[in-house]
């Protein structure tokens, strides 16, 4: 890979490594988040994806962004169903509010902002997210609901979907200054996600396993 997709991946590699190894998500993968913490994460995602998917709707007529705004990716109805299943009520963290505000301010009108945020969430959901879904279903015994966010029923093969997605990134008809805005915005998206994870990590500290 030598095109823009490879450049974007490389430019966010350090941020990704951090998310994979030191975040609330890596604790989820280790099974050390209390169930309420997982439900609270789902509630934060709902706040964020509402904005992301409202922007996708706004971008459907935009020549540059429309190929990314695929309704098969939509997560909002699934997050609503998951939250109803998980029960409880979880307020927005300040970090999720900031993330949502940022999306609302930039993504419905700027293709490079929209694509950057779209890439960080959905390509992640189609990658490590699939593993996270399997792990949390096992950790909390969620076999009949609560984790539909992690399933892409309308995408037959995530691997080939991601290949086609990267081809769209490579073919973006944008000048260099707008491509560099996209890169910087993807890095910012990782930090907005990181802030949500950090706030949740503090609110739901390490679950102490019962003594063996
Ligand atoms: C424990 C947590 C995570 C694991 C195990 C994980 C794992 C992975 C793996 C294995 C890939 C490579 C897939 C491929 O090459 O096709 C990937 C890609 C990706 N992940 Fe993650 N991930 C995690 C967390 C995250 C988070 C929290 C985000 C965003 C907030 C994220 C965003 C992405 C993105 C954007 C890609 C696509 C990279 C590219 O090919 O350009 N990941 N992840």
């Amino acid at each position: 890979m030598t095109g823009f997709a490879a450049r974007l991946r490389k430019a966010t590699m350090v941020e990704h490594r951090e998310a994979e190894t030191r975040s609330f998500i890596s604790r989820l993968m280790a099974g050390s988040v209390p169930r309420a913490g997982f439900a609270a994460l789902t509630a934060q995602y709902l706040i964020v994806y509402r904005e992301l998917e409202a922007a996708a709707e706004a971008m459907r007529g935009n020549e540059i962004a429309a190929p990314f705004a695929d309704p098969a990716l939509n997560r909002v109805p699934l997050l609503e169903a998951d939250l109803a299943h998980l029960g409880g009520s979880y307020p927005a963290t300040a970090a999720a509010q900031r993330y949502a505000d940022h999306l609302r301010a930039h993504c419905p009108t700027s293709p490079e902002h929209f694509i950057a945020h779209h890439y960080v969430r959905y390509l992640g959901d189609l990658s490590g997210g699939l593993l996270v879904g399997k792990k949390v279903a096992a950790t909390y015994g969620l076999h009949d609901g609560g984790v539909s966010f992690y399933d892409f029923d309308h995408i037959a093969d995530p691997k080939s979907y991601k290949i086609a997605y990267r081809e769209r990134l490579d073919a973006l008809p944008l000048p260099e200054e707008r491509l560099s805005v996209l890169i910087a915005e993807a890095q910012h998206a990782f930090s907005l996600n990181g802030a949500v994870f950090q706030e949740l990590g503090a609110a739901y500290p390490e679950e102490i396993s019962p003594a063996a």
Side-chain angles (χ1 to χ4, degrees):
M1 287 205 306
T2 53
F4 183 67
R7 181 176 156 198
L8 183 55
R9 172 192 275 202
K10 197 158 169 239
T12 51
M13 216 171 244
V14 171
E15 289 82 353
H16 185 267
R17 189 86 199 128
E18 174 88 10
E20 223 180 331
T21 53
R22 287 166 39 111
S23 73
F24 193 68
I25 306 302
S26 46
R27 272 184 54 207
L28 265 184
M29 286 303 276
S32 69
V33 169
R35 188 185 187 281
F38 171 64
L41 174 68
T42 306
Q44 309 314 304
Y45 280 162
L46 180 57
I47 292 159
V48 168
Y49 280 77
R50 278 197 172 126
E51 297 303 333
L52 206 47
E53 290 173 14
E57 206 49 59
M59 280 294 170
R60 263 182 205 125
N62 180 288
E63 219 176 300
I64 293 162
F68 295 88
D70 177 1
L73 293 169
N74 284 354
R75 304 285 91 195
V76 166
L78 303 169
L79 286 165
E80 286 171 344
D82 288 348
L83 264 182
H85 183 93
L86 293 167
S89 154
Y90 301 91
T93 56
Q97 204 56 65
R98 270 200 310 278
Y99 189 174
D101 290 346
H102 182 83
L103 294 174
R104 192 179 322 111
H106 300 284
C107 292
T109 49
S110 162
E112 50 272 42
H113 285 75
F114 170 69
I115 295 165
H117 285 278
H118 192 276
Y119 160 79
V120 170
R121 282 306 332 174
Y122 294 108
L123 228 56
D125 295 336
L126 288 168
S127 305
L130 305 177
L131 309 173
V132 175
K134 287 198 180 73
K135 177 65 193 180
V136 293
T139 303
Y140 308 110
L142 294 165
H143 304 300
D144 59 354
V147 288
S148 66
F149 168 78
Y150 300 91
D151 283 333
F152 286 86
D153 286 350
H154 301 296
I155 291 174
D157 177 9
K159 199 169 169 184
S160 46
Y161 193 94
K162 287 192 291 184
I163 291 171
Y165 192 104
R166 292 191 186 106
E167 286 169 358
R168 287 198 286 278
L169 287 171
D170 285 342
L172 274 174
L174 288 172
E176 173 53 33
E177 67 265 24
R178 292 177 68 186
L179 292 177
S180 20
V181 169
L182 199 163
I183 299 252
E185 199 53 33
Q187 290 165 333
H188 187 48
F190 269 99
S191 90
L192 289 166
N193 276 278
V196 175
F197 301 151
Q198 206 164 0
E199 210 172 323
L200 288 175
Y204 298 94
E206 204 88 17
E207 180 128 274
I208 312 291
S209 317

